[in-house]
Amino acid sequence: MKQFLLFISALLLSLPSAFGHVGSSGVLFQGQAGDYRVLVSVQPPDVIPGTAQITVYVESGRVSNMYARPIYFSSGDEGAPSPDELLPVDAQKNQYQGIVWLMEGGSSSVQIDLDGTQGKAELIVPIAAVSTAERDMPAGLGWTLSALGLLLVVLMVTIIGASVSDGLLRPGQQLSAKQRRKRLINMGIAFGVCVLILYGGSSWWDSWASDYKQYLYKPLQAKASIIQEDGQWIFEFKADTASLRANNRKNALNYLIPDHGKLMHLFLVRVPGLDAFAHLHPERADSTTFRAFLPALPAGKYLAYGDIVHYSGFTETITDTIDIPAAPASSLLQKRTDPEDTYVVTDPLNNPKNIPLDENVVICGQPGTKTKLKDGSYVIWEGKASQTFEAGKPYSLRFEVFAPDGTPAELQSYLGMPGHAAIVRSDGSVYIHLHPVGTYAMAAELTLKNRIADTSRTYQRAAAAVFRDSIDRQIAFLKTLSTEDRETYLMKEMGMSSGQTDDSQHTAAMNHGSSLSFPYAFPKAGSYRIFLQIKRNGTILTGVFDAKVIDSTTF
């Protein structure tokens, strides 16, 4: 057990892809582009500049032409390049593929234009593209280039030597001792010049590579801890200011924007069983510190994932591990930072056993089976009970919710969405916060659409103190609203309201009824746990499901 926990801690600290999620590269979008229903996959490169791979599945409607182009937050629509065509790869499935070049790192979006039987349409897919890797030259290519370089040096030295000696000879004449000496001297000079050129090129390349390392994405580092105040345990997430300064991001946390009305979404998952889960919304105590009242979670080692969104739409997940000690329930006042804070206890992953049942305990479900929720309603995850999933393949994870009497349940908006889901791999190396519209943050989509509407080529950001104050006032305003009014406000802001135009990208997710569908591609084989969260009759309900993922080459 101790070795496992040490491995988990080291794994979380070493993950290079902790922006917006952990271990799940790329973005999936599921929704409407005009009258076309589409599933879009965007796989950004891990080296910038680089190419993003785009795949579009047109699920309804027939498309004749499709184009895509990147739009960077820094330069907006006016500074965007011309679009590239996406070509059909499977006419029967109406599937299109192509690439776009990403020349800038950071927050950006891919604009996709479609034209077909239902007319023209457009959609925007947010992406975060940063350099997270270095490319090593293949050994074979390196030796080949070295041999060619050596050959060029020999040829150059030989040609220069011949030009200062042989060119002066008449047919049949031999070089004199003076001419041979002159030839050798000039060949030596030529060789020295070649060495200097090679040394200068090598130094330039090493300098460029060193500069590149400075721009490699480094996740924000934070320290999780538990403090006790007035008989209540408080979870504290404090960013490492030294890390911020080292990454030239000392003001980064002053430029956060709310996602679903919250500055941070914090998920706590107990390891190794993934049998305790909390979804909290810490409040900002200062520019680097977030705090939330801790619910009565069972003692143990927990993975902490804190999702934040920057003003540019760039999303990050701050990770850490924390030990939550045992304490008598009577010693805790059980306060909540936010009315949407919730937690649940369930049976351990791949190790079902009897557990104490109370109002916060649910039993984990499988595809194709009924999974009971704590209010007596239940969820059916569509699929066969023995279903396995292939790594890297996009799926629509579909859930149907029923009331205790078996009728379709009436779901309420929860943080402006029909539902949420968090997916965690057994070793913590994969984590993602999902919505029915895709794998990206809704705030990122909103801010990028606003940036595209802005015709200025350069974004002028406000002073840190001014920006932070404006966001704090927005958060304070949301707290003054009733739950119903706040949900209405958030739904409208994120394009989920019934008052949106018919070409809303989220029409399909808005008309959910009692069904929910989450697009996702499991990144690698292993055991996963899905925490589904919905709201009905004013109560937030959490269903827990297990998924088995195999390599795509496994049969």
Side-chain angles (χ1 to χ4, degrees):
M1 174 63 74
K2 183 177 180 180
Q3 288 80 0
F4 173 81
L5 296 178
L6 289 174
F7 167 75
I8 287 290
S9 300
L11 183 64
L12 288 177
L13 290 174
S14 63
L15 284 170
S17 55
F19 48 97
H21 45 250
V22 173
S24 292
S25 60
V27 175
L28 282 177
F29 166 88
Q30 179 175 268
Q32 294 291 133
D35 292 329
Y36 306 96
R37 178 168 174 79
V38 296
L39 175 63
V40 181
S41 171
V42 181
Q43 188 71 35
D46 57 4
V47 172
I48 304 295
T51 56
Q53 305 291 327
I54 302 175
T55 304
V56 180
Y57 304 88
V58 183
E59 298 176 341
S60 67
R62 301 296 298 178
V63 173
S64 55
N65 297 291
M66 190 179 300
Y67 295 87
R69 65 170 181 156
I71 301 180
Y72 310 108
F73 180 85
S74 58
S75 54
D77 182 58
E78 295 299 318
S82 58
D84 294 303
E85 186 175 7
L86 304 183
L87 301 175
V89 295
D90 191 331
Q92 185 176 3
K93 294 183 178 180
N94 219 4
Q95 178 182 344
Y96 291 75
Q97 285 185 346
I99 63 171
V100 294
W101 272 94
L102 295 178
M103 306 302 295
E104 298 180 17
S107 179
S108 57
S109 60
V110 173
Q111 176 182 299
I112 300 177
D113 296 306
L114 306 89
D115 192 4
T117 57
Q118 278 74 40
K120 295 183 178 180
E122 174 188 294
L123 64 90
I124 302 295
V125 181
I127 58 173
V130 291
S131 293
T132 60
E134 295 180 88
R135 289 284 177 265
D136 292 327
M137 182 179 293
L141 178 61
W143 284 109
T144 301
L145 292 177
S146 297
L148 290 175
L150 179 61
L151 176 63
L152 289 174
V153 169
V154 171
L155 290 175
M156 181 175 292
V157 170
T158 302
I159 291 171
I160 291 175
S163 67
V164 299
S165 57
D166 296 5
L168 301 177
L169 296 178
R170 292 189 297 272
Q173 185 179 3
Q174 300 294 321
L175 290 174
S176 65
K178 182 178 180 180
Q179 287 174 324
R180 283 195 295 270
R181 186 168 56 253
K182 182 179 180 181
R183 179 180 184 180
L184 290 174
I185 291 173
N186 281 277
M187 289 178 67
I189 294 173
F191 180 76
V193 171
C194 289
V195 170
L196 289 175
I197 292 174
L198 291 174
Y199 177 77
S202 176
S203 298
W204 171 83
W205 180 263
D206 291 341
S207 175
W208 189 91
S210 178
D211 289 341
Y212 173 80
K213 289 180 179 179
Q214 296 180 18
Y215 292 97
L216 285 175
Y217 172 75
K218 301 178 183 65
L220 290 179
Q221 298 178 14
K223 179 63 178 176
S225 60
I226 295 176
I227 58 178
Q228 189 168 0
E229 290 184 359
D230 300 327
Q232 174 67 48
W233 279 354
I234 298 174
F235 178 92
E236 183 176 270
F237 222 24
K238 190 172 184 65
D240 181 2
T241 54
S243 172
L244 290 171
R245 287 192 298 269
N247 296 333
N248 296 318
R249 303 174 67 189
K250 62 180 181 179
N251 287 323
L253 295 181
N254 285 317
Y255 287 96
L256 300 184
I257 59 176
D259 187 28
H260 306 282
K262 316 296 180 184
L263 275 183
M264 177 181 285
H265 292 264
L266 174 70
F267 294 88
L268 297 173
V269 185
R270 187 166 72 164
V271 290
L274 309 187
D275 54 351
F277 167 86
H279 180 183
L280 310 179
H281 304 96
E283 293 183 341
R284 181 159 54 185
D286 56 48
S287 60
T288 61
T289 306
F290 290 81
R291 289 182 172 185
F293 290 118
L294 193 67
L297 291 167
K301 175 78 74 173
Y302 282 77
L303 307 177
Y305 303 97
D307 292 342
I308 55 176
V309 182
H310 297 271
Y311 77 99
S312 64
F314 188 78
T315 59
E316 291 189 275
T317 299
I318 307 173
T319 62
D320 198 11
T321 59
I322 186 169
D323 285 299
I324 296 180
S330 59
S331 67
L332 301 179
L333 300 180
Q334 292 304 297
K335 294 181 180 178
R336 288 198 296 177
T337 306
D338 189 278
E340 279 83 20
D341 287 358
T342 184
Y343 78 101
V344 71
V345 178
T346 184
D347 44 323
L349 178 70
N350 298 327
N351 185 26
K353 63 179 182 179
N354 293 328
I355 57 174
L357 296 179
D358 61 34
E359 62 178 4
N360 292 305
V361 173
V362 296
I363 302 300
C364 183
Q366 302 285 342
T369 62
K370 290 183 179 181
T371 301
K372 191 174 181 180
L373 305 178
K374 68 180 184 180
D375 71 338
S377 59
Y378 59 92
V379 181
I380 293 181
W381 179 9
E382 296 182 9
K384 298 180 180 179
S386 59
Q387 180 177 359
T388 57
F389 300 87
E390 291 186 21
K393 180 179 179 179
Y395 291 92
S396 288
L397 308 178
R398 301 180 183 276
F399 301 89
E400 185 79 21
V401 186
F402 295 90
D405 61 2
T407 60
E410 182 178 349
L411 303 182
Q412 296 173 304
S413 173
Y414 171 36
L415 297 176
M417 299 294 294
H420 300 252
I423 299 180
V424 183
R425 194 174 183 266
S426 59
D427 62 354
S429 64
V430 176
Y431 152 81
I432 193 165
H433 180 188
L434 286 175
H435 307 112
V437 296
T439 61
Y440 56 88
M442 301 300 295
E445 179 191 39
L446 179 62
T447 194
L448 286 165
K449 283 186 174 181
N450 290 339
R451 180 66 182 97
I452 291 172
D454 183 1
T455 57
S456 60
R457 291 193 63 144
T458 304
Y459 180 82
Q460 301 294 330
R461 70 180 186 179
V466 174
F467 187 91
R468 177 182 166 182
D469 181 65
S470 67
I471 296 300
D472 287 344
R473 284 189 280 110
Q474 181 183 359
I475 297 293
F477 163 72
L478 291 174
K479 289 182 178 180
T480 65
L481 301 178
S482 65
T483 300
E484 182 178 353
D485 289 343
R486 184 168 60 251
E487 291 293 341
T488 300
Y489 177 91
L490 293 174
M491 289 181 68
K492 183 177 180 180
E493 182 182 51
M494 293 183 289
M496 303 299 297
S497 171
S498 57
Q500 299 296 307
T501 58
D502 291 339
D503 62 350
S504 169
Q505 294 185 181
H506 307 143
T507 302
M510 178 186 67
N511 300 321
H512 52 81
S514 61
S515 300
L516 293 169
S517 178
F518 299 87
Y520 187 57
F522 295 95
K524 57 184 178 180
S527 297
Y528 290 77
R529 179 151 282 188
I530 302 172
F531 299 93
L532 171 69
Q533 294 199 290
I534 58 172
K535 187 176 184 180
R536 60 184 306 270
N537 297 326
T539 301
I540 301 168
L541 304 170
T542 303
V544 185
F545 304 86
D546 284 344
K548 183 68 174 178
V549 180
I550 59 175
D551 289 325
S552 57
T553 56
T554 302
F555 296 95

